[in-house]
Amino acid sequence: MGNPVVHFEVYGKDAKKLSNFYSKAFGWKIEHMPQMNYGMVDTASGGKGINGGIAQPMPGGKMSVTFYVEVDDLGAKLKEIEKMGGKTVMPVTTVPNMVTFALFSDPEGNVIGLVKSEQPRG
């Protein structure tokens, strides 16, 4: 069984403007989390699509779109990716009570996220 894309993020210099744009363009519901400078996106698609987030990049970061793939073992997957020519951009990181994730770049430099599965698939 493959690994599903489970989340996306859109980063831009004006996250509020981006939030308004996507909300109006697609009817997305966006819950702003000022403490994290992040907007949680509910695409309001009735479970048909994936949800995501809209934010400003960290200082020195760039505007980008990232998608996140769910895997059972983040560390093992990063090692596998590095053997295939990818590079770890952010090691396994846990945001308490929210998510455990990592970032890697593919051989062309695109940054992709990994998210730990809630339960192992199989």
Side-chain angles (χ1 to χ4, degrees), residues 66-85:
T66 303
F67 63 87
Y68 290 78
V69 179
E70 183 181 77
V71 299
D72 293 334
D73 185 332
L74 296 171
K77 185 56 72 176
L78 286 173
K79 286 179 185 174
E80 179 183 335
I81 286 166
E82 288 176 354
K83 286 180 184 175
M84 297 186 306

Side-chain angles (χ1 to χ4, degrees), residues 45-119:
S45 60
K48 225 176 150 183
I50 62 171
N51 295 320
I54 297 176
Q56 287 179 253
M58 298 289 228
K62 60 182 179 177
M63 276 63 73
S64 64
V65 175
T66 303
F67 63 87
Y68 290 78
V69 179
E70 183 181 77
V71 299
D72 293 334
D73 185 332
L74 296 171
K77 185 56 72 176
L78 286 173
K79 286 179 185 174
E80 179 183 335
I81 286 166
E82 288 176 354
K83 286 180 184 175
M84 297 186 306
K87 293 184 177 135
T88 298
V89 173
M90 178 182 286
V92 177
T93 303
T94 300
V95 178
N97 302 315
M98 289 191 80
V99 67
T100 300
F101 72 104
L103 297 171
F104 71 91
S105 62
D106 68 18
E108 295 292 329
N110 298 300
V111 176
I112 309 300
L114 299 173
V115 175
K116 181 157 179 43
S117 302
E118 295 279 328
Q119 298 177 344

Side-chain angles (χ1 to χ4, degrees), residues 1 10-12 23 29 32 38 44 47 62 65 77 85 115-116:
M1 183 160 110
V10 179
Y11 287 93
S23 180
K29 298 173 185 171
H32 295 281
Y38 195 85
K62 60 182 179 177
V65 175
K77 185 56 72 176
V115 175
K116 181 157 179 43

